[in-house]
Amino acid sequence: MVSVGYTLLSEQAGPKELVDHAVRAEAVGFDHLVVSDCYSPWLDSQAHSPYAWSVLGAVAHATSRAALMSYVTCPIRRYHPAVVAQKASTVGVLSDGRFTLGLGAGEHLNEYVTGRWPHVRQRHEMFEEALKIIKPLLNGETVAFSGNHYAVPDAYLWDRPEQPVPMAVAASGRRSATLAAEYADAVIATEPDPHLLQMYDEAGGAGKPRYGQVVICYGPDEAECRSLLHDQFRWYGLGWKVKAELPGPDSFAEATRFVREEDAAAGIPYGPDVERHVAAFRRFVDAGFSHVALLQVGGGSQPMFLTWAHEHLLPRLREL
């Protein structure tokens, strides 16, 4: 059975609300919780961006059953890789082994606060070096590392869960799928692309978990859902090459000022029809994903969504 997850989107809710949403999501039956790790919202209208790792610590303490995951953390600029490993192991202890460290090569939006955003080729080099540092630290090894981008003279993690925190790596093509298979325990993808999973399997990832995410906008009024998507999520269809390079909410607002309401809603299921949302989820199941998290757009709609998901959506998803 596919693990059904719930997204704690830090760009659209404050820290106390996110913890409350996590507790409610676990109570209504979601299997895992994923937390976005951003410094800024994509658009000003989203209006939030608390520190994800403080939220994770609180969620780890406030919940008892659901698996947890960062979705995703970039370990190349805003955070040093050795510090990422320390944070992940600490959350692993706090959660009694329920935490998976999700990693990706990042976006300018979230990393610009610490300086220049590297060229994509350099980012990929930095990301692989970061994986070489983080993985052995999580496994309890003492790490001394000297690379082109990072130097770790002597590092060891003193507090670790009984089993090493597993890593998952975001992939979008053959190179990143190969990195995920070589260094990580799972792969993350944003599209239900069976070809990407095939590349992951061919690189050595066969049998490992694969995580996906479905963006939806449930609500009783379709027109309100379309308006909300345009207000807060019209950046979503820009494409990764654009999303990784723009530096802040003002840039995303400018880049999307000609996006129409119908454009923003294209490809994202919205409204009250449960079967629309089930169909979007099923595409990931059919592609071969083992874990799929739902992302409900709109911070204020989360309590309503969680009640509806408990009564209508989750029972349907359990049938897939």
Side-chain angles (χ1 to χ4, degrees):
M1 183 179 294
V2 173
S3 175
V4 183
Y6 171 76
T7 300
L8 299 165
L9 191 69
S10 61
E11 299 96 302
Q12 67 179 11
K16 288 187 176 181
E17 290 78 17
L18 290 169
V19 176
D20 180 61
H21 298 162
V23 172
R24 293 188 186 201
E26 183 182 66
V28 304
F30 281 94
D31 302 314
H32 68 279
L33 309 172
V34 304
V35 184
S36 61
D37 186 358
C38 296
Y39 192 85
S40 298
W42 300 90
L43 295 169
D44 287 346
S45 56
Q46 291 179 311
H48 292 281
S49 201
Y51 184 53
W53 290 88
S54 296
V55 173
L56 274 166
V59 169
H61 184 72
T63 58
S64 61
R65 175 189 57 80
L68 308 178
M69 185 183 209
S70 57
Y71 199 94
V72 293
T73 289
C74 174
I76 69 171
R77 178 65 76 185
R78 185 165 41 122
Y79 307 134
H80 189 281
V83 176
V84 170
Q86 183 188 36
K87 294 190 293 189
S89 277
T90 299
V91 175
V93 173
L94 288 170
S95 64
D96 295 317
R98 291 182 286 132
F99 179 64
T100 295
L101 174 62
L103 297 170
E107 306 98 17
H108 195 177
L109 174 79
N110 297 312
E111 309 303 316
Y112 74 95
V113 293
T114 58
R116 182 184 62 85
W117 184 229
H119 184 272
V120 61
R121 182 172 295 179
Q122 186 181 28
R123 296 200 302 268
H124 290 166
E125 292 174 0
M126 296 171 73
F127 187 59
E128 184 167 7
E129 282 194 15
L131 296 176
K132 291 179 179 179
I133 295 167
I134 294 169
K135 186 176 179 65
L137 283 173
L138 294 178
N139 288 336
E141 300 176 29
T142 298
V143 172
F145 181 87
S146 180
N148 294 325
H149 304 285
Y150 300 108
V152 180
D154 185 14
Y156 178 77
L157 299 179
W158 295 91
D159 290 279
R160 304 186 311 278
E162 290 186 8
Q163 298 297 321
V165 169
M167 291 197 315
V169 165
S172 57
R174 185 170 297 278
R175 173 172 168 74
S176 50
T178 300
L179 282 179
E182 181 177 356
Y183 292 102
D185 307 288
V187 69
I188 299 167
T190 58
E191 299 291 337
D193 182 0
H195 180 58
L196 178 65
L197 296 186
Q198 181 182 352
M199 290 189 287
Y200 176 62
D201 289 346
E202 291 170 352
K208 295 180 181 181
R210 53 272 335 261
Y211 288 80
Q213 185 182 67
V214 179
V215 178
I216 69 172
C217 189
Y218 162 74
D221 188 301
E222 288 194 359
E224 289 182 5
C225 289
R226 283 165 59 100
S227 177
L228 181 62
L229 286 170
H230 184 258
D231 179 53
Q232 296 194 11
F233 247 70
R234 62 183 182 273
W235 54 272
Y236 188 70
L238 288 175
W240 193 249
K241 289 185 177 180
V242 177
K243 288 190 286 188
E245 300 297 342
L246 294 179
D250 289 346
S251 298
F252 279 91
E254 181 65 21
T256 58
R257 65 192 179 103
F258 296 116
V259 174
R260 301 167 301 173
E261 194 172 280
E262 56 267 35
D263 299 326
I268 299 178
Y270 60 91
D273 183 0
V274 67
E275 293 306 320
R276 254 190 225 177
H277 305 294
V278 170
F281 190 94
R282 183 185 288 115
R283 286 194 286 271
F284 281 83
V285 176
D286 293 345
F289 285 79
S290 60
H291 297 68
V292 184
L294 294 158
L295 191 169
Q296 163 71 2
V297 176
S301 70
Q302 301 305 310
M304 173 186 66
F305 165 74
L306 289 168
T307 298
W308 173 77
H310 174 61
E311 295 175 353
H312 301 284
L313 181 59
L314 284 173
R316 285 287 293 110
L317 297 183
R318 300 299 183 196
E319 298 171 0
L320 299 180

